[in-house]
Amino acid sequence: RIPSAYLLLLTTSPMASSTSPLRVAHLGAGIFAHSGQGPIWRALPASLVTHKFVWSRTQASAASYASFLNLPPTAVRHGDADLDAILEDPEVDAVSVILPISLQPDVARRAMLKGKHVMTEKPLAGNIQSAREVIEAVRAHREKHLMYAIAENIRFEPALNKAAEIVRSGRLGQIITFDMFSHIPFLEGSKYEQTSWRQKPDHIAGLVLDSGVHFMALLRLVLGGNALDIMSKRHSRTSHLPEFDTVASAITMSCGGPPGSTGGPHPSVSGTLSLSYAAPSGFLWVKLGVLGEKGRLVVERHAKKGMGYVVRVEEVQKGDVVDEEFFGFEGIQKEIEAFVGACGGENGQLGGDADRLSVEEAFNDLAMVDAICKDGLVEVEKLI
């Protein structure tokens, strides 16, 4: 087990009391920069953030993202020399790193060594060994009070935090089991499938790490614990996806709840995970069911009511749906706000949840994916 002393969980920085905006350089200008984080960064007020540079491996992609962020051509940077210059620049406080999985850890570590706050997209790294190296580097520089944040939006989604609260409250009683379904069409020829690093991944598990790590985070958040052991069957059901694209797993997890309540904490609870990126077009299905002695919790991604999740509680005594609430997606916005607030921002007015960005959380997600890649029953605790 990784000692907590190895992990950078600091939510304060030398700038925490400063009223100066956080000066950010954006490293990476691909699809998710534009469609995921970009709209949130662009909407933050100038009192909180100054966008200093956009860097990419090519000039064209950097220029495109800079334009998206309403930055002038003078903010565009590309190539190795420009990256070195950004990391040396004393007028850059923080970097947002959105690069192919195998490239992110090295760039992020270099930024930290130069005294920058770092937010890098999930996952923590492309494999367990690389993840441990990141954690060692974070440990060695924790006295500098730098944020090293892993952006996992799942931990910030209001719907999923509501679901976790229901489990913790004991409302469902003793947890009996859970079932997680994530069936996603990852179609040949789509803009995501066409990226070279997805077609020829040099990280473990292909899409199961790249995207599937979200659902490891979801299970851990809602159930309030970590995976204890996992046994998986892996299959390839498509011809265009490398590695395996479909997983069926039996998972035993610790399950949290308030001490002394009938809802927990439970030593363990076993359930299933059905994960596939071979779903036909139009057959997106993401759903978690948690069964307890007093009722059932259902969390389902819902497009008909808008982009978000429906959280539903059914209670045994009432024999029907007791509560049902829709929550729109807010995770990306909240994770960026937490990062900016923890780095200083405007008197640290945003944030308060920066521990959800920790390398410890991200490592536990990655350990579950690593276990899925192995044959037989894998004791996940031994990987952590």
Side-chain angles (χ1 to χ4, degrees):
R1 182 177 298 275
I2 297 172
S4 59
Y6 280 43
L7 308 171
L8 183 65
L9 305 179
L10 298 177
T11 59
T12 59
S13 78
M15 295 183 295
S17 61
S18 172
T19 59
S20 300
L22 186 70
R23 299 169 296 182
V24 179
H26 300 272
L27 310 182
I31 297 170
F32 190 73
H34 284 83
S35 63
Q37 288 195 13
I40 309 302
W41 283 113
R42 185 172 62 181
L44 289 177
S47 61
L48 288 179
V49 172
T50 298
H51 303 287
K52 295 291 291 184
F53 302 109
V54 169
W55 176 89
S56 182
R57 290 171 291 171
T58 68
Q59 193 275 340
S61 61
S64 175
Y65 191 35
S67 176
F68 180 86
L69 293 176
N70 299 317
L71 301 181
T74 53
V76 174
R77 299 289 188 273
H78 75 282
D80 292 343
D82 280 355
L83 177 59
D84 292 342
I86 289 172
L87 299 184
E88 293 285 353
D89 193 332
E91 294 191 355
V92 172
D93 302 315
V95 296
S96 169
V97 184
I98 308 178
L99 292 168
I101 291 171
S102 63
L103 300 180
Q104 288 193 141
D106 179 63
V107 172
R109 279 198 302 266
R110 288 172 58 195
M112 182 180 62
L113 290 172
K114 297 298 183 180
K116 314 301 183 190
H117 298 289
V118 175
M119 184 170 76
T120 179
E121 260 300 312
K122 58 74 199 161
L124 175 61
N127 56 63
I128 286 285
Q129 180 56 39
S130 179
R132 291 189 185 282
E133 291 170 1
V134 171
I135 290 173
E136 290 289 346
V138 169
R139 174 196 182 192
H141 291 82
R142 66 183 184 272
E143 74 281 357
K144 293 186 177 180
H145 303 288
L146 296 172
M147 279 295 298
Y148 193 107
I150 309 300
E152 174 50 82
N153 58 290
I154 286 292
R155 278 187 270 277
F156 290 85
E157 289 294 349
L160 304 179
N161 282 282
K162 175 66 174 180
E165 179 186 323
I166 291 168
V167 172
R168 287 195 307 268
S169 72
R171 183 176 176 183
L172 301 179
Q174 182 78 23
I175 302 303
I176 298 170
T177 190
F178 63 89
D179 297 285
M180 177 79 221
F181 300 91
S182 180
H183 300 168
I184 298 174
F186 202 85
L187 304 178
E188 187 172 12
S190 71
K191 63 182 180 179
Y192 292 103
E193 189 270 336
Q194 288 293 298
T195 50
S196 60
W197 61 272
R198 286 193 175 96
Q199 292 180 338
K200 296 181 179 180
D202 49 8
H203 56 270
I204 64 167
L207 276 171
V208 175
L209 177 61
D210 176 19
S211 171
V213 73
H214 283 307
F215 306 110
M216 313 306 155
L218 191 157
L219 283 172
R220 292 184 53 249
L221 172 62
V222 175
L223 293 174
N226 291 323
L228 303 177
D229 59 59
I230 297 178
M231 179 179 285
S232 301
K233 287 288 187 179
R234 303 171 299 277
H235 303 278
S236 292
R237 301 302 190 196
T238 64
S239 59
H240 65 280
L241 295 177
E243 302 287 335
F244 50 90
D245 53 44
T246 299
V247 174
S249 299
I251 304 176
T252 301
M253 299 191 66
S254 57
C255 187
S261 79
T262 57
H266 314 291
S268 66
V269 59
S270 295
T272 64
L273 167 68
S274 174
L275 176 62
S276 181
Y277 292 92
S281 178
F283 278 76
L284 173 69
W285 190 34
V286 176
K287 185 175 183 178
L288 170 64
V290 180
L291 179 65
E293 62 181 356
K294 294 182 180 179
R296 175 167 54 204
L297 166 71
V298 177
V299 181
E300 186 169 10
R301 182 167 170 170
H302 213 292
K304 292 182 179 179
K305 294 186 177 183
M307 296 301 291
Y309 297 93
V310 169
V311 178
R312 184 170 69 251
V313 177
E314 304 165 0
E315 293 185 1
V316 172
Q317 290 184 340
K318 299 183 180 179
D320 204 348
V321 175
V322 177
D323 291 316
E324 181 173 294
E325 188 173 358
F326 173 79
F327 298 82
F329 292 142
E330 296 182 26
I332 298 174
Q333 175 182 336
K334 290 181 178 297
E335 71 185 0
I336 291 175
E337 290 178 346
F339 174 71
V340 172
C343 292
E346 190 174 84
N347 295 320
Q349 69 178 34
L350 298 177
D353 295 315
D355 57 328
R356 301 182 193 184
L357 298 165
S358 73
V359 292
E360 179 181 38
E361 292 284 1
F363 190 92
N364 279 282
D365 299 338
L366 176 58
M368 291 182 70
V369 176
D370 186 82
I372 284 173
C373 293
K374 293 177 167 60
D375 294 327
L377 183 68
V378 180
E379 295 183 56
V380 183
E381 286 187 306
K382 292 184 177 179
L383 302 174
I384 298 173

